[in-house]
Amino acid sequence: MKTRRFAFFVLAITSVILGGWIFSPATIIPPANLINPVSIYLVDYGFHGRLILPINRDKCLEYAYGDWRYFALNQQDWLTGAAALFLPTQGALGRKLKNCDRFDLLATQKDSSLLSITVEKAKVDRLLKVLNSYFDRLATLQIKNSYTGMTLVPYDRTYTVIHNSNHELVRWLQDLGCRVEGFVLWANFQISDQ
């Protein structure tokens, strides 16, 4: 009897610790000592996030990553959703041109938040070049998703629960010189105040 109670106690404590770790926000630590700083934006929709990069003073590109069938083709039935989570499936890279002065609308959308991060402009230009050249190479395969307003192409990274939209977003943030600490499964991000 004591062994069962002890096992239950250990399981309960482990569950609380694991749950706290999983549900606590991942912390983005922006780079320091920037020579030519520029603001980028992360739109947090609760389960998934998107990255917005400035092209010039007025225009920005919003980038997102997801499963090809579920995200790009809107085949959002339970079978496609389960396959996207538990099997390696075709990834999709999406982008959308935006006016930089309309971020106030993103921040007011239900169940979303907008985070501003300051990074080095040269790294933003480099990431834009990589992502845009990827799009240009696959121009004949582009599709337009009328629901999201994004143009999408097949992406060379497979999608699963262990490499979902937020994991790819973290990879892009790292390319921009940010560090991300904590558990990343869904878009539960905060900016470090260091």
Side-chain angles (χ1 to χ4, degrees), residues 41-76:
Y41 301 90
L42 186 150
V43 185
D44 183 333
Y45 290 106
F47 287 110
H48 59 90
R50 296 183 184 174
L51 186 64
I52 300 176
L53 303 172
I55 301 170
N56 56 41
R57 189 174 173 185
D58 301 321
K59 298 290 181 188
C60 295
L61 280 173
E62 178 179 346
Y63 280 95
Y65 167 77
D67 170 75
W68 181 257
R69 288 176 54 205
Y70 194 89
F71 180 53
L73 302 179
N74 288 329
Q75 295 175 1
Q76 298 182 354

Side-chain angles (χ1 to χ4, degrees), residues 28 42 51 65 93 123 127 130-131 134 155-158 163-180 184 189:
I28 300 167
L42 186 150
L51 186 64
Y65 167 77
L93 179 65
K123 291 192 177 197
L127 183 57
V130 167
L131 295 174
Y134 191 89
Y155 199 41
D156 60 3
R157 296 188 182 275
T158 56
H163 186 86
N164 65 28
S165 58
N166 302 307
H167 298 105
E168 191 65 18
L169 181 61
V170 166
R171 193 174 77 82
W172 294 337
L173 289 170
Q174 290 169 340
D175 288 346
L176 295 168
C178 298
R179 282 190 1 251
V180 180
V184 176
F189 295 100

Side-chain angles (χ1 to χ4, degrees), residues 54-119:
I55 301 170
N56 56 41
R57 189 174 173 185
D58 301 321
K59 298 290 181 188
C60 295
L61 280 173
E62 178 179 346
Y63 280 95
Y65 167 77
D67 170 75
W68 181 257
R69 288 176 54 205
Y70 194 89
F71 180 53
L73 302 179
N74 288 329
Q75 295 175 1
Q76 298 182 354
D77 57 274
W78 71 271
L79 188 59
T80 304
L85 289 176
F86 301 112
L87 301 172
T89 58
Q90 173 64 58
L93 179 65
R95 77 176 174 188
K96 177 173 26 175
L97 187 63
K98 302 183 89 58
N99 290 326
C100 292
D101 61 351
R102 303 305 302 192
F103 291 136
D104 55 330
L105 294 178
L106 287 172
T108 61
Q109 289 180 2
K110 184 180 178 194
D111 299 325
S112 69
S113 62
L114 183 69
L115 302 175
S116 176
I117 308 162
T118 305
V119 297

Side-chain angles (χ1 to χ4, degrees), residues 35 125 133 145 166 176 181:
I35 296 169
D125 293 342
S133 66
N145 183 314
N166 302 307
L176 295 168
E181 296 177 350

